[in-house]
Amino acid sequence: MIRYARKRMRTTDDGDEALLRVADMTGFAEHFPAEGVALAFNTINTIRHLPDDEDFLAHFGEMARVLRPDGIYVVGISLSAYELEEPSEDVWRGARGRCEVRQVVQYLPADRQGRMEQVLSHLAITRPGGVETRDDSYGLRAFNRKQWRALVRRSPLSIVEVTSDRGEAMQDHDGNYFLYVLRRAD
């Protein structure tokens, strides 16, 4: 992905080139200037790949070190409504030239004790030479509204806005996806 992004990268309006790096979410600040990032984003539940609260807090600490005083960090996260959620499924399709990709993703809800949503992924890649399949499963850390807000309060960041995926101001509640706009708490 980084190689693709670098090929497509252009300079910003002010002539600066964006920094593209591969790093762990809990140890990336060394790759960026301190207080040098104006905007960072982590959407579509990617942050939920961190397995426990300690890793989330380490991640938030890294973000606080790289964000400018007026910088913002946008986190997209689905909040769990434990015991009310049903298993669900998404189907994604895409094509480029003679390559087609179809992904079926199944989500098995978390419970309040284990707090891990189980994800099962089946990927089918169709090319002129045949079909290749890839199967994977992994867990995503689950939070309800109260757990998420409590974790952010323990971090060096604070919530300044909650929006829908379209940027409309919202009141967050369990069972939905939101974008949280975070800033350094200092």
Side-chain angles (χ1 to χ4, degrees):
M1 291 187 318
I2 292 292
R3 189 169 45 244
Y4 177 80
R6 282 189 177 127
K7 282 174 46 178
R8 308 250 334 164
M9 182 56 56
R10 297 192 176 113
T11 58
T12 60
D13 289 342
D14 60 4
D16 291 337
E17 187 152 323
L19 295 173
L20 302 173
R21 302 286 188 266
V22 176
D24 185 281
M25 280 195 277
T26 61
F28 60 86
E30 67 188 63
H31 299 288
F32 297 92
E35 298 186 351
V37 175
L39 168 66
F41 57 91
N42 193 339
T43 58
I44 315 175
N45 288 305
T46 302
I47 197 168
R48 291 181 54 213
H49 285 274
L50 294 169
D52 53 44
D53 288 1
E54 291 73 28
D55 282 344
F56 273 86
L57 293 171
H59 172 70
F60 290 149
E62 294 286 287
M63 286 307 308
R65 280 191 277 289
V66 300
L67 279 177
R68 292 189 337 202
D70 62 343
I72 61 171
Y73 178 40
V74 180
V75 176
I77 189 169
S78 296
L79 299 178
S80 292
Y82 302 118
E83 287 83 38
L84 298 177
E85 297 171 326
E86 298 282 330
S88 62
E89 181 176 280
D90 285 334
V91 178
W92 303 86
R93 292 186 175 100
R96 179 186 250 169
R98 296 171 59 193
C99 180
E100 295 179 18
V101 177
R102 181 176 188 264
Q103 182 182 32
V104 178
V105 184
Q106 296 173 316
Y107 304 94
L108 307 177
D111 62 34
R112 192 178 304 275
Q113 283 72 29
R115 294 194 46 205
M116 290 299 279
E117 177 180 27
Q118 195 61 30
V119 181
L120 310 170
S121 171
H122 176 75
L123 192 66
I125 305 161
T126 305
R127 296 183 183 100
V131 177
E132 173 188 353
T133 61
R134 297 181 188 177
D135 294 312
D136 193 14
S137 66
Y138 52 91
L140 294 175
R141 181 82 166 148
F143 294 89
N144 63 19
R145 178 184 185 272
K146 183 179 177 183
Q147 292 165 333
W148 174 248
R149 285 180 167 268
L151 181 67
V152 173
R153 277 193 302 274
R154 289 174 46 205
S155 82
L157 301 175
S158 63
I159 299 169
V160 295
E161 186 75 56
V162 180
T163 75
S164 70
D165 59 355
R166 295 184 179 168
E168 303 154 327
M170 302 281 293
Q171 176 61 46
D172 54 348
H173 51 85
D174 295 344
N176 281 55
Y177 178 81
F178 297 98
L179 296 175
Y180 286 84
V181 179
L182 308 177
R183 278 214 165 115
R184 289 180 13 191
D186 46 43

